[in-house]
Amino acid sequence: MPTCVKIAPMNSPFASSPLTGPRVVTLAYDGLCTFEFGVAVEVFGLARPELGNDWYRHATAAIEPGPLRAAGGLTVTTSGNLDLIAEADLIVVPGWRGIGEPVPALLIETLRAAHARGARLMSLCSGLAVLAATGLLDGHRATTHWRYADAIRSRFPLIKLDPDVLYVDEGQVMTAAGSAAGIDLCLHVVRRDFGAEAANSVARRLVVPPHREGGQAQFIVKPVPQEREGQRLAPLIDWIDGNLDREVTLAEMAARAGMSTRSFQRKFKDLTGSAPGEFLLARRLRHACDLLERQADLSLDDIALAAGFGTPATLRHHFRTRLATSPAAYRARFGHAA
């Protein structure tokens, strides 16, 4: 017999809580993807008194009558339904029951109405199929699990699909890649709403890094690098992290790895999923972000030098092109002085 999991909020799931923060509704449906659903509840639905009374208020909304079957032989029942979406500030769509499965018209209409009044929408993994069906992603960037990329492109050609990243934040609509990337996106939302320290606190509770470098390319099936290559490159990566404030050339990295430039480029990408230059730039940006978050007394000139960008103008350029924001805006949102 399948296990029954009851998700039964009080008559007024938001009002009954002493919390005053954003109202988050996670969708449940027949064929529920248990992992992604659990990620949303773990991040947004657990009590976190250390983060204050303005933390998220969470409820679960069934999109159809139950009981609902869930992955792992579970059966889910919940007293919340689509009416909860009218109160939601953020709506989370876990992985959908099938990338080609139709999305109910009532759900599409409800999500469009929520978006029109300003609610944020977020999909995890194959949950992109639900947001895609609303048309709200047409002309916008989005991502999903790399296995579903071709199916999404063929069904929704107007979406600017980027299957190489862990998540995409388009402001009011956000999408995550494979299942664990849902954690990355949820932490990103916490970071947006409550700052870096809150996101770091949640990450510590989850025992995960608050921010992962790279994208899905590192997880796509490829020949496994030989162990000796990993051993040769690991000290180099440590050296790169310790020398971000200076110029680092491809030739220097290759020489330190004891390889020709051509072999180094190929083997480095096999190991990390990124070309050496892209990897170095990502490390510089991450270091600059850390400094903006933690060192309120540092000027942009200081941060540009410490992260190896040289000038604030170069730092701003890479923030705009890679992070779609400015260093000043990033510090205002995530820094200690925000």
Side-chain angles (χ1 to χ4, degrees):
M1 293 290 290
T3 302
C4 182
V5 179
K6 290 190 176 182
I7 306 170
M10 304 294 287
N11 290 336
S12 181
F14 298 125
S16 63
S17 170
L19 299 174
T20 60
R23 294 163 295 193
V24 181
V25 169
T26 301
L27 302 185
Y29 48 84
D30 192 49
L32 181 65
C33 294
T34 310
F35 182 87
E36 290 91 334
F37 177 82
V39 166
V41 174
E42 178 77 21
V43 174
F44 302 118
L46 293 191
R48 301 184 187 276
E50 71 276 13
L51 296 177
N53 290 334
D54 60 346
W55 189 246
Y56 298 103
R57 294 170 283 171
H58 181 270
T60 300
I63 72 166
E64 55 201 347
L68 310 172
R69 294 166 298 175
L74 304 178
T75 300
V76 174
T77 61
T78 173
S79 60
N81 56 36
L82 285 179
D83 291 343
L84 290 174
I85 291 181
E87 302 180 61
D89 301 302
L90 171 65
I91 300 151
V92 184
V93 185
W96 188 232
R97 50 192 168 213
I99 204 70
E101 290 292 317
V103 180
L106 179 58
L107 177 58
I108 292 174
E109 178 184 341
T110 303
L111 292 176
R112 285 174 177 165
H115 181 271
R117 65 171 174 77
R120 292 177 292 172
L121 310 181
M122 181 169 77
S123 68
L124 308 182
C125 195
S126 58
L128 175 71
V130 175
L131 297 189
T134 68
L136 296 171
L137 285 171
D138 290 355
H140 295 279
R141 287 182 67 236
T143 193
T144 188
H145 195 290
W146 56 267
R147 291 180 60 193
Y148 306 133
D150 290 342
I152 290 293
R153 285 194 183 101
S154 64
R155 290 167 57 83
F156 305 101
L158 296 181
I159 295 175
K160 299 177 181 178
L161 193 69
D162 186 352
D164 294 331
V165 297
L166 295 177
Y167 61 84
V168 172
D169 181 350
E170 284 282 276
Q172 201 179 339
V173 182
M174 298 166 284
T175 53
S179 299
I183 300 174
D184 297 287
L185 179 54
C186 289
L187 289 174
H188 171 73
V189 172
V190 173
R191 196 179 181 96
R192 276 184 52 178
D193 292 347
F194 293 97
E197 283 303 304
N200 292 345
S201 175
V202 175
R204 283 193 296 271
R205 286 269 297 270
L206 291 169
V207 197
V208 298
H211 182 275
R212 287 195 293 166
E213 303 289 351
Q216 289 195 84
Q218 60 191 305
F219 304 111
I220 297 173
V221 177
K222 62 181 73 173
V224 177
Q226 295 180 14
E227 184 177 355
R228 67 175 182 272
E229 293 170 2
Q231 292 174 343
R232 292 168 75 181
L233 291 179
L236 171 66
I237 292 172
D238 290 339
W239 178 84
I240 290 172
D241 286 339
N243 289 272
L244 293 173
D245 59 339
R246 60 180 288 269
E247 182 181 3
V248 176
T249 66
L250 177 63
E252 184 177 14
M253 288 189 284
R256 284 186 167 274
M259 302 179 193
S260 69
T261 300
R262 179 174 295 181
S263 294
F264 171 71
Q265 287 178 291
R266 183 180 68 255
K267 293 177 180 179
F268 189 92
K269 188 166 186 178
D270 284 343
L271 182 68
T272 68
S274 301
E278 288 292 316
F279 182 89
L280 177 60
L281 177 57
R283 283 300 217 251
R284 293 193 191 281
L285 282 170
R286 182 65 255 162
H287 186 47
C289 288
D290 287 341
L291 294 175
L292 288 166
E293 293 167 14
R294 300 177 180 277
Q295 301 292 332
D297 57 331
L298 288 183
S299 68
L300 288 187
D301 294 82
D302 294 331
I303 291 172
L305 288 173
F309 290 107
T311 68
T314 304
L315 178 67
R316 292 189 188 97
H317 167 75
H318 287 295
F319 262 69
R320 283 195 304 270
T321 57
R322 298 305 176 104
L323 304 180
T325 189
S326 68
Y330 186 93
R331 170 175 268 169
R333 174 173 285 176
F334 300 127
H336 284 214

